[in-house]
Amino acid sequence: MVVLSLSAPFSIKLSTNSFSFRPQISPSSSSSSSSSIIKCSSSLNHFPQITSSTKTLGNGGLGFNFVPPPSAFISATTGPRGTLETGDPMGLLLRERMVFVPSDIDDFGADCLISQLLLLDARDPEKDIRVFVNSRGGSMSATMAIYDVLKLVRADVSTIALGISASTASIILAGGTKGKRYAMPNSRIMIHQPLGGVGGQVLDVEIQTEELVVSKRNVIRIYSEETGRQPRQVEKDLDRDRYLSPIEALEYGIIDGVIDRERIIPLVPVPDRVNATITVASVNKDQKKFLIPDIPDDEIY
């Protein structure tokens, strides 16, 4: 039973099956108050309709047709608790410290992701945050904002590539905590140099061109730091769109493992330059040694 107290001179009692309306009458007219009770049978889906008009009862009271709000009958299974019943799976995943990179990275999506990262880090900086990347990239400035926050938070950030991680999204993928950057077996990773167009007056074109060059150098520096490759090699690889399989991205150093069902396939990234153990000078010093190798007898089969 729910009792609603209103400013008008009456009281209403509600239950799940019926409600009653009793006008509050002055003591002078109490003799007729017992006959002023209005009862209506009602289910949860059929309430008396609200009308804007009022009427005067015989004892001077006011009568209304009243519909209780649906919020008066919130049940335990449909309450606003951020659960499956409210149709908010993203809220549930956020509670489990799982967030998603927007499919099209712009300022609004970046602000949403940044706020989630900062919130989870403030709640528990010791637990990992999992960032799922299924995006074709987008704004360079928005991507740099997300990348900086990945480095700012105290919690380890595990990035996981799903579907496609292309363009600036691959920067976010590589920006996770080293050793905790993964990709699903059927995902694709694409890297390339920053894109942009210039227009306007000649001086404006020069300014915009210089800014594009700065962005390119910054991207090369980030890839070089995250993958361990030389900047020259990275610059060469970014000249054109380069699509990588999970294993190729693992060898390049963008990720640290490939998730295959219930296990993770690790692989040490292949360095872009291998230090030679044999020099030209040593070969020229004794050429016979290299033409006729000295193999022990026990190794001859």
Side-chain angles (χ1 to χ4, degrees), residues 32-218:
S32 59
S33 61
S34 60
S35 61
S36 302
I37 301 175
I38 303 172
K39 290 187 177 181
C40 299
S41 297
S42 173
S43 64
L44 291 179
N45 297 324
H46 301 283
F47 294 108
Q49 298 299 314
I50 295 177
T51 58
S52 58
S53 61
T54 61
K55 62 181 179 179
T56 303
L57 300 179
N59 52 20
L62 295 179
F64 294 88
N65 291 325
F66 178 78
V67 177
S71 60
F73 299 97
I74 295 178
S75 64
T77 58
T78 59
R81 299 176 297 166
T83 59
L84 286 176
E85 289 83 351
T86 61
D88 184 22
M90 300 299 289
L92 277 177
L93 293 173
L94 179 62
R95 292 173 57 185
E96 298 298 326
R97 304 178 71 82
M98 301 180 188
V99 295
F100 292 80
V101 174
S103 57
D104 184 13
I105 302 174
D106 55 9
D107 292 336
F108 178 78
D111 289 342
C112 292
L113 179 57
I114 288 171
S115 63
Q116 293 172 344
L117 292 172
L118 294 176
L119 173 64
L120 295 176
D121 183 63
R123 285 187 171 179
D124 192 345
E126 302 298 328
K127 286 186 178 180
D128 289 5
I129 301 174
R130 282 171 283 183
V131 178
F132 293 89
V133 186
N134 183 16
S135 172
R136 293 187 174 273
S139 168
M140 177 60 68
S141 60
T143 301
M144 290 297 104
I146 296 174
Y147 179 84
D148 288 341
V149 173
L150 291 179
K151 300 301 181 182
L152 174 67
V153 295
R154 296 163 294 176
D156 288 349
V157 179
S158 174
T159 53
I160 303 170
L162 298 169
I164 182 74
S165 297
S167 187
T168 59
S170 63
I171 299 177
I172 299 175
L173 176 63
T177 303
K178 289 190 177 182
K180 298 183 178 181
R181 304 171 299 179
Y182 307 111
M184 300 301 287
N186 294 311
S187 61
R188 299 288 288 175
I189 295 94
M190 190 270 282
I191 57 176
H192 63 186
Q193 61 179 315
L195 303 177
V198 296
Q201 301 178 4
V202 176
L203 294 178
D204 294 335
V205 170
E206 290 181 1
I207 295 173
Q208 295 174 30
T209 303
E210 291 176 0
E211 183 62 24
L212 286 175
V213 172
V214 171
S215 296
K216 180 179 179 179
R217 290 175 181 171
N218 191 36

Side-chain angles (χ1 to χ4, degrees), residues 1-6 10-24 37-42 47-48 66-69 72-73:
M1 183 72 70
V2 180
V3 178
L4 301 182
S5 297
L6 305 178
F10 58 80
S11 64
I12 299 174
K13 292 184 178 181
L14 303 177
S15 67
T16 56
N17 296 322
S18 65
F19 71 87
S20 62
F21 171 86
R22 182 188 295 273
Q24 295 179 352
I37 301 175
I38 303 172
K39 290 187 177 181
C40 299
S41 297
S42 173
F47 294 108
F66 178 78
V67 177
F73 299 97

Side-chain angles (χ1 to χ4, degrees), residues 245-296:
S245 67
I247 296 298
E248 291 172 338
L250 187 57
E251 293 175 347
Y252 198 86
I254 297 177
I255 59 176
D256 304 302
V258 180
I259 298 176
D260 184 14
R261 298 192 180 184
E262 296 182 355
R263 64 193 182 100
I264 297 175
I265 303 174
L267 184 66
V268 178
V270 178
D272 56 343
R273 180 177 297 177
V274 179
N275 296 326
T277 57
I278 301 174
T279 63
V280 177
S282 62
V283 174
N284 293 332
K285 187 177 180 180
D286 188 359
Q287 296 183 3
K288 261 188 182 181
K289 181 179 179 181
F290 295 96
L291 294 176
I292 306 174
D294 185 13
I295 303 176

